[in-house]
Amino acid sequence: MVQVQAAAAKEATAIPLLTPYKMGQFDLSHRVVLAPLTRCRSYGNVPQPHAAVYYSQRATRGGLLIAEATDISPTAQGYPETPGIYTQQQIEAWKPIVDAVHRKGALFFLQIWHVGRVSFTDFQPNGQAPISSTDKQITPDDSGMVYSKPRRLRTDEIPQIVDDFRRAARNAIEAGFDGVEIHGAHGYLLEQFMKDSVNDRKDQYGGSLENRCRFAVEVIDAVVAEVGAHRVGIRLSPFVDFVDCFDSDPVALGSYMVQQLNRHPGFLYCHMVEPRMAIVEGRRKITHGLLPFRKQFKGTFIAAGGYDRKEGNKVVADGYADLIAYGRLFLANPDLPRRFELNAPLNKYDRSTCRPHRLRKALLG
Ligand SMILES: Cc1cc2nc3c(=O)[nH]c(=O)nc-3n(C[C@H](O)[C@H](O)[C@H](O)COP(=O)(O)O)c2cc1C
């Protein structure tokens, strides 16, 4: 009786981020999701035992973790020491990591990834050119990073890459993951087809919005057919312009993609990244540009990008998003849901330990 009262009292006072949520067949106990975070610590592209520590530190009963972006094939790599999910050795190496997360009662999804032209010949099999929708190189920016000139995929090569995504999804399920998140964001291969600043193709994969999205749609269809819509989510970032990849009409692009997801009954989640922060009266402000997509999408909607406790609570309470993915705050605060519960102070994230960019610079100059 006392326990029931205590539970009821907790429910009555729970902040919106810490209320339960049913995502498809999965029962979540709260809405604080670990965003996918590239770690560059999988030596030889094989996940290492220490990843079990990292992920299980962030696992809570009924929480959702999304694992770091993981290569679907040897041509998918663009950063040092990223994990893969295309060999039996990699599948076996993921298993104890997934088990460690499951023992804590959390759900674990794998983000499946192909970087396309965001790569260097040094990372490619036989030193070949990275593949893309285009042969246009990424314009060097202030960071001084000069990416290799890509090779445009021939039309008849595209089904093979679609199949690599399908196989990666199958392998992820074999490794024990609860589902997969297709990486369709941040200027990587899927976006190099979707966005009109990059895609300059003349075949059925270029030109109209429908044609530019065809590759992503084929990947979605293949992954859904392989593992079931109830285990598939996607990450999209129509407004983001990383690595020279942007679209002249991001709202039309995002809406079209959401319609494609809605074709699959039970498609699990759509995870979208906010447009860049606006600075309003000297404060960073999330612009909440994702509302049209949230309204259109029939499944679970996850928002990410710049959220803190206050902003997360607000948008969950408003119904703007079902779940919020936290990147840097979760990295620096493995017990983030608990800290939110207690409204405890947060550790600051430490850029100096961020391996992806530091390592790439060190290795590639
Ligand atoms: C070190 C680091 C690695 C990241 N790796 C990935 C990744 O593998 N896949 C991905 O979709 N986004 C990646 N991101 C983006 C994050 O998932 C997240 O969207 C971003 O950090 C913004 O959210 P935040 O403000 O909560 O940190 C990465 C970000 C950081 C800082």
Side-chain angles (χ1 to χ4, degrees), residues 35-39 67-70 111 113 181 183 185-186 188 235 242 271 273 277 284 304-307 325-331 349 354-357:
L37 293 162
T38 290
R39 306 187 61 235
E68 66 209 270
T70 296
Q111 192 184 50
W113 189 33
E181 174 173 295
H183 197 337
H186 296 160
Y188 298 116
R235 195 170 216 210
F242 290 153
H271 180 182
V273 183
M277 313 276 150
R284 289 184 339 150
Y307 282 92
Y326 290 88
R328 291 161 295 178
L329 289 183
F330 221 146
L331 197 58
Y349 50 83
C354 174
R355 276 170 88 89
H357 294 289

Side-chain angles (χ1 to χ4, degrees), residues 139-157:
T139 316
D141 62 11
D142 305 341
S143 70
M145 198 75 85
V146 181
Y147 296 93
S148 300
K149 185 172 163 54
R151 178 178 74 78
R152 185 196 309 272
L153 281 164
R154 294 190 315 269
T155 312
D156 68 338
E157 292 177 294

Side-chain angles (χ1 to χ4, degrees), residues 21-41:
Y21 175 75
K22 192 158 178 62
M23 178 177 77
Q25 61 177 344
F26 303 109
D27 288 312
L28 300 182
S29 66
H30 63 81
R31 296 150 186 264
V32 182
V33 176
L34 174 68
L37 293 162
T38 290
R39 306 187 61 235
C40 294
R41 288 160 164 88

Side-chain angles (χ1 to χ4, degrees), residues 36 111 181-188 190-191 194-195 213 216-217 219-220 233-242 250-262 267 269-275 290 293-294 296-297 301-305:
Q111 192 184 50
E181 174 173 295
I182 299 167
H183 197 337
H186 296 160
Y188 298 116
L190 268 68
E191 275 208 345
M194 283 189 259
K195 291 188 170 174
C213 292
V217 170
V219 168
I220 293 161
I234 190 166
R235 195 170 216 210
L236 297 168
S237 59
F239 294 107
V240 172
D241 59 1
F242 290 153
V251 175
L253 172 61
S255 298
Y256 181 80
M257 286 305 298
V258 168
Q259 284 165 31
Q260 300 309 305
L261 306 181
N262 283 340
F267 190 92
Y269 71 74
C270 178
H271 180 182
M272 284 211 180
V273 183
E274 294 283 353
L290 307 178
F293 314 128
R294 173 355 167 228
Q296 285 160 23
F297 183 56
F301 194 82
I302 310 179

